Amino acid sequence: MDEDLFLGFDLSTQQIKAVVINEELELVVESNVEFDVDTAEYGTKKGVFTNVELNEVYAPVAMWLKALDILLNKLKHSGLDFAKIKCISGAGQQHGSVYWSKEAASLLSSLNPAETLESQLAPAAFSHDMSPNWQDHSTTEECDFLENKVGGPMRAAEVTGSRFHHRFTGPQILRFRRQHPDRYLATARISLVSNFFASLWLGTFAPFDRSDVCGMNLWDISDEKWDEDLVKYVAGDSEAEKEELLNKLGHVEPDGGKSLGLISDYFVKRFGFSKDCSIVSVTGDNPSTILALPLRPLDVIVSFGTSTTLLISTPVYKPSPSYHLFTHPTSKGLYMGMLCYCNGSLAREQIRDGLNTAQNYSGSDPWELFNASVENTPCLGSFDTSKSKLGIYFPLPEIIPDCKSGTWRFLTDDTGELTDATDASWNIPLDDARAILESQNLSMRLRAEPMLSPSGQPHRVYVVGGGSKNLSFCKLLGQILGPADGVYRLELSNACALGSAYKALWSLRRKKILNEDSFESFDDFLADRWNESSMISKVDQGYQPEIWHRYGSVLNAFSKAEDLAINSSK
Ligand code: XUL
């Protein structure tokens, strides 16, 4: 068939994925490359290297170059005609930074199509061979330094949408400059994973994406410009050092749908792309995920993956140190609210495995006992409201709240007083199954409520990611967040890459609004084409007043329990 096609990528922590769609949003082909398996010679574990003593987590940039080449060859062998692709966009894991060398610009623009990206760009195009990863926790000193300079977490959140976080790129650049002053000096450009990827496609440095740039703690969201004070604190202390860093950063493209240019000749000659194929801003993986559906204000997406993330589209810029706000990837006047937890699936699986071992489970569904225990345990572990159980489970150091690893179990009564749970009061590991889901969901509710004003309830909750298949997870999410219109599973295993493919399509086909200097919005464009009944299914009724209020009544106690966990681990 002679149809135009659109390509979306997801360069995430453990793999790179590609999806190709047509104008009707139908999936034409998809493929992926898993780093630990397909680029095993790099020796990463779950796509990264970890230095436990230093709390560092990072990934080799050259591995991504190799993986892209493998992925494009896989797509070619699947019969995809690259010449039909009219536009490409993508998404990258957020916050990760790539440090380009002084030779990078000329290397990027003169690639030989007979050779791989990896052999031509690595190591010469980079002043540092590694990209700090979003799971990195090494920048406590830098975050404290910046927080002091700025005047506290609230001020940082007001300006940049988030307080300083270990993984955010400003603190990471500061640490990089302090640890490797020579490499910092040798750096011509600093990109995020997103515009690093766009730069490969363009054969020249791409600007930052309007949404992903908000993951740096350097961008003034309201004024849409670099915060020069912050840039200066990260760069050193002089005007000259600030200017040097501003040059290394380059600019930010304000229009998420604008073509950044045509595809580099390298891909035209090596893979047979059309010379007219246009490249659109590559955003972060979370902003791209909200583009996989026409998300309305007060709708929430919860992604149950390695990390648990909660995403909201909101017209209100109401910053807080306890969540993140980003500029919406496509729509002026909208923001993306986000919560991002490190302890997602790993924490749940540890409890599941403990339960299976304790009960010598040998069946075929590893979640059978866990789910049965969730169903058979009453709300908060007790029918008696004066003996509610609250647990906190962080096998990894957590981002929200900023807390070292550990497990804590408490009992709380109607007054919100907390006592440590005893072996007699808590049936370990049986009670932990419901308690960990409650704990993860209460934490989301506590933080998301201000973004969901006035009622504190979402309109709809959409679930995605591996854990969305588990009905027990969906049910507890519905009970605790209480969405008025229920919980829906997005029947997609590739929401993030698909969001990027949709963005590529919108970019090329969006209509200009007559007499105005603007375009048809992404959400309207998508809503016109999106076939809801084939994309989502309702998995829980959502709001049940009695249960929702019972969970609401322990939110203060839960917040105190978190404080105890934070202080006990200091
Ligand atoms: C978001 C975050 C993670 C990564 C995962 O702030 O750190 O969700 O984007 O790829």
Side-chain angles (χ1 to χ4, degrees):
M1 274 220 301
D2 211 14
E3 56 181 1
D4 291 345
L5 300 178
F6 303 85
L7 175 54
F9 284 98
D10 171 15
L11 175 42
S12 63
T13 314
Q14 302 193 41
Q15 59 174 335
I16 176 166
K17 219 181 242 184
V19 303
V20 177
I21 58 160
N22 61 19
E23 305 248 1
E24 279 71 51
L25 309 186
E26 290 159 346
L27 186 66
V28 175
V29 62
E30 64 182 323
S31 192
N32 76 313
V33 164
E34 215 182 302
F35 303 136
D36 290 3
V37 178
D38 301 302
T39 53
E41 67 275 26
Y42 280 94
T44 57
K45 287 215 167 59
K46 296 190 184 279
V48 292
F49 297 122
T50 305
N51 179 332
V52 181
E53 276 95 70
L54 295 178
N55 276 321
E56 286 179 343
V57 184
Y58 46 91
V61 180
M63 178 179 79
W64 298 334
L65 300 176
K66 167 129 201 208
L68 175 60
D69 198 69
I70 299 177
L71 181 60
L72 291 171
N73 277 309
K74 270 177 120 174
L75 286 169
K76 193 168 166 183
H77 289 129
S78 73
L80 174 66
D81 179 359
F82 287 114
K84 291 184 182 165
I85 292 172
K86 295 289 168 219
C87 189
I88 300 175
S89 187
Q93 50 182 288
Q94 296 196 262
H95 319 293
S97 38
V98 173
Y99 300 84
W100 298 97
S101 69
K102 306 246 157 80
E103 295 80 59
S106 72
L107 287 170
L108 270 176
S109 63
S110 60
L111 291 168
N112 173 358
E115 308 284 338
T116 63
L117 289 171
E118 184 198 15
S119 67
Q120 298 180 83
L121 294 178
F126 305 102
S127 53
H128 186 50
D129 53 351
M130 296 292 162
S131 172
N133 181 264
W134 62 275
Q135 295 161 100
D136 184 281
H137 274 79
S138 66
T139 57
T140 304
E141 220 174 274
E142 287 73 18
C143 289
D144 291 348
F145 167 81
L146 291 168
E147 200 157 285
N148 260 331
K149 284 277 193 193
V150 166
M154 188 59 208
R155 182 72 199 131
E158 277 165 4
V159 177
T160 73
S162 303
R163 67 179 298 176
F164 293 104
H165 284 274
H166 291 128
R167 68 193 189 288
F168 274 51
T169 324
Q172 289 289 342
I173 296 174
L174 175 54
R175 183 163 189 271
F176 175 67
R177 182 176 68 75
R178 287 173 170 176
Q179 300 268 108
H180 307 288
D182 48 336
R183 296 192 201 174
Y184 179 76
L185 262 183
T187 301
R189 265 295 169 128
I190 302 174
S191 295
L192 287 169
V193 176
S194 51
N195 59 330
F196 149 76
F197 195 61
S199 305
L200 297 178
W201 286 103
L202 286 167
T204 182
F205 293 137
F208 288 97
D209 172 75
R210 58 185 255 119
S211 184
D212 208 25
V213 72
C214 306
M216 299 182 81
N217 275 147
L218 293 176
W219 183 250
D220 181 333
I221 293 188
S222 307
D223 289 350
E224 297 182 44
K225 60 176 183 53
W226 295 114
D227 182 284
E228 298 217 2
D229 286 340
L230 280 172
V231 173
K232 192 156 123 184
Y233 303 143
V234 169
D237 223 4
S238 69
E239 282 300 306
E241 285 165 318
K242 180 191 81 185
E243 287 305 320
E244 188 195 339
L245 181 52
L246 283 171
N247 283 335
K248 290 187 204 294
L249 294 171
H251 83 280
V252 180
E253 172 50 56
D255 179 355
K258 188 176 147 195
S259 169
L260 301 178
L262 297 179
I263 192 168
S264 146
D265 235 27
Y266 175 78
F267 295 100
V268 174
K269 297 204 173 113
R270 187 168 170 87
F271 294 100
F273 280 91
S274 153
K275 270 182 171 311
D276 310 325
C277 175
S278 102
I279 308 299
V280 178
S281 200
V282 172
T283 188
D285 55 354
N286 293 300
S288 187
T289 299
I290 67 170
L291 303 181
L293 70 166
L295 197 70
R296 300 299 182 190
L298 298 189
D299 283 347
V300 163
I301 300 181
V302 174
S303 168
F304 288 117
T306 314
S307 63
T308 297
T309 35
L310 178 145
L311 305 169
I312 302 179
S313 170
T314 167
V316 193
Y317 186 69
K318 196 169 162 203
S320 153
S322 52
Y323 49 78
H324 309 291
L325 285 171
F326 292 73
T327 310
H328 191 281
T330 59
S331 308
K332 293 221 158 71
L334 284 184
Y335 302 90
M336 181 187 83
M338 180 174 80
L339 300 171
C340 175
Y341 298 86
C342 259
N343 290 288
S345 57
L346 183 79
R348 294 187 292 268
E349 284 161 18
Q350 270 196 2
I351 294 198
R352 174 199 70 182
D353 295 346
L355 198 56
N356 290 345
T357 308
Q359 306 213 354
N360 291 320
Y361 178 73
S362 58
S364 59
D365 174 8
W367 291 101
E368 190 178 338
L369 292 184
F370 183 98
N371 291 349
S373 175
V374 173
E375 301 293 325
N376 297 332
T377 306
C379 180
L380 294 162
S382 171
F383 292 109
D384 180 349
T385 54
S386 69
K387 294 199 176 100
S388 295
K389 293 181 180 139
L390 292 173
I392 292 176
Y393 305 85
F394 297 155
L396 295 172
E398 183 49 72
I399 301 170
I400 311 174
D402 181 6
C403 184
K404 291 196 178 137
S405 57
T407 300
W408 298 265
R409 298 181 182 86
F410 302 99
L411 296 182
T412 181
D413 60 17
D414 296 318
T415 67
E417 277 304 306
L418 288 169
T419 46
D420 283 329
T422 58
D423 288 353
S425 60
W426 196 296
N427 189 353
I428 300 172
L430 219 58
D431 286 343
D432 288 324
R434 190 173 178 109
I436 187 172
L437 296 186
E438 290 178 334
S439 175
Q440 295 185 336
N441 292 328
L442 283 170
S443 175
M444 288 194 267
R445 174 162 166 188
L446 186 68
R447 274 120 189 152
E449 268 189 350
M451 290 188 275
L452 294 166
S453 62
S455 70
Q457 270 175 271
H459 170 240
R460 275 187 179 185
V461 170
Y462 294 98
V463 283
V464 291
S468 67
K469 301 269 175 303
N470 190 319
L471 278 181
S472 300
F473 294 7
C474 301
K475 197 167 154 185
L476 280 215
L477 191 65
Q479 291 181 358
I480 296 173
L481 294 188
D485 191 34
V487 181
Y488 295 78
R489 182 164 52 220
L490 252 184
E491 303 294 354
L492 301 171
S493 57
N494 47 14
C496 172
L498 212 51
S500 289
Y502 292 166
K503 186 159 85 116
L505 171 63
W506 167 71
S507 156
L508 219 63
R509 297 288 188 257
R510 60 184 179 165
K511 292 192 198 82
K512 187 124 182 108
I513 297 177
L514 280 182
N515 305 327
E516 274 182 53
D517 192 21
S518 62
F519 293 93
E520 179 184 13
S521 82
F522 177 85
D523 291 336
D524 290 344
F525 176 89
L526 192 63
D528 277 354
R529 289 164 178 76
W530 209 63
N531 179 358
E532 178 167 296
S533 58
S534 68
M535 295 292 203
I536 58 176
S537 51
K538 194 163 187 171
V539 286
D540 185 69
Q541 67 187 96
Y543 184 53
Q544 297 176 59
E546 207 178 307
I547 301 184
W548 192 72
H549 287 294
R550 168 95 199 263
Y551 280 118
S553 72
V554 296
L555 280 178
N556 277 337
F558 183 75
S559 172
K560 274 199 246 162
E562 285 188 340
D563 290 342
L564 288 175
I566 294 166
N567 292 325
S568 75
S569 67
K570 272 195 174 140

